[in-house]
Amino acid sequence: MTLKAQGQYAPFTLRSYESYIAEFLSSVCKQHPELKSVSEITPAMVEQWFVSHADWSGETKQVHVCAVRGFCQYLADKKVFPENPCNILRPIRRRRHINEAVDDTKEDKIYTSKDLLALLEFHETRLRNSVRDRAVIALMAATGMRASEIGWLNVGTFRSRKNGYIYALRKGERGD
C-alpha cells in the first residue's frame, strides 16, 4: 500500500488509514457505478463523498480527510491524477469552548495524594469492581500510564517483564 511506502506511520495508524481509504473508494464506487478507474475520480465526486458523511463528528471527518487527501496526493505525485481531486477538502477546524473560569494550569491536572485516596475510597464503597478499579487507579498514579496503555496490559505482559520492568504497549503500538 502507498502508506507503507512513506514509512512514517505506526502499524495501527496504517490499518486505520487503509480502512478510511477503502471506505472512501467503496463509497465513491457505489455513488458512481460508471467509474472504471481511480484516475477518473473528480473533485465533485470527492465533495459528494464528503457531504454524504455530514453526520460524522469533526474528529472523525478530520482523520478520514487526512487519510484520503494523503492517498490522493500520493496518486497525483505518481501522475495517476493530473491534479489531486481532494484539493477541495480542507482540514476540519473544530471550535473548542474555553471555560475561562477554569484555571488550566498543569498543576490543576495532577492528582494530589488526597485526591487519589478519595478516588480509591469512592470506588471501594460504591462500585462492584472495586479491586480492579483500585488496581488501575494505583497503576496510573504510580506509573503515569494512560488509561489506554493500561487497557492494553494483559497477563502475558506481566509474565514477559524484563529486569523488573513491564513494557506496555504505548501510543502507536510501540512497547516502551
Side-chain angles (χ1 to χ4, degrees), residues 16-39:
S16 297
Y17 277 23
E18 286 172 357
S19 71
Y20 304 152
I21 293 164
E23 185 280 328
F24 165 72
L25 294 173
S26 172
S27 180
V28 169
C29 287
K30 283 180 188 173
Q31 293 171 348
H32 301 278
E34 74 281 0
L35 201 64
K36 291 183 175 57
S37 169
V38 174
S39 63

Side-chain angles (χ1 to χ4, degrees), residues 12 20-22 26 38 48 54 57 71 82 103 159:
F12 182 76
Y20 304 152
I21 293 164
S26 172
V38 174
Q48 187 179 9
S57 71
F71 173 71
D103 183 14
R159 288 189 184 138

Side-chain angles (χ1 to χ4, degrees), residues 43 46 68-69 72-73 76 82-91:
V46 172
V68 170
R69 284 188 82 208
C72 288
Q73 186 58 53
E83 187 178 327
N84 185 346
C86 293
N87 283 342
I88 62 161
L89 298 176
R90 298 287 174 244

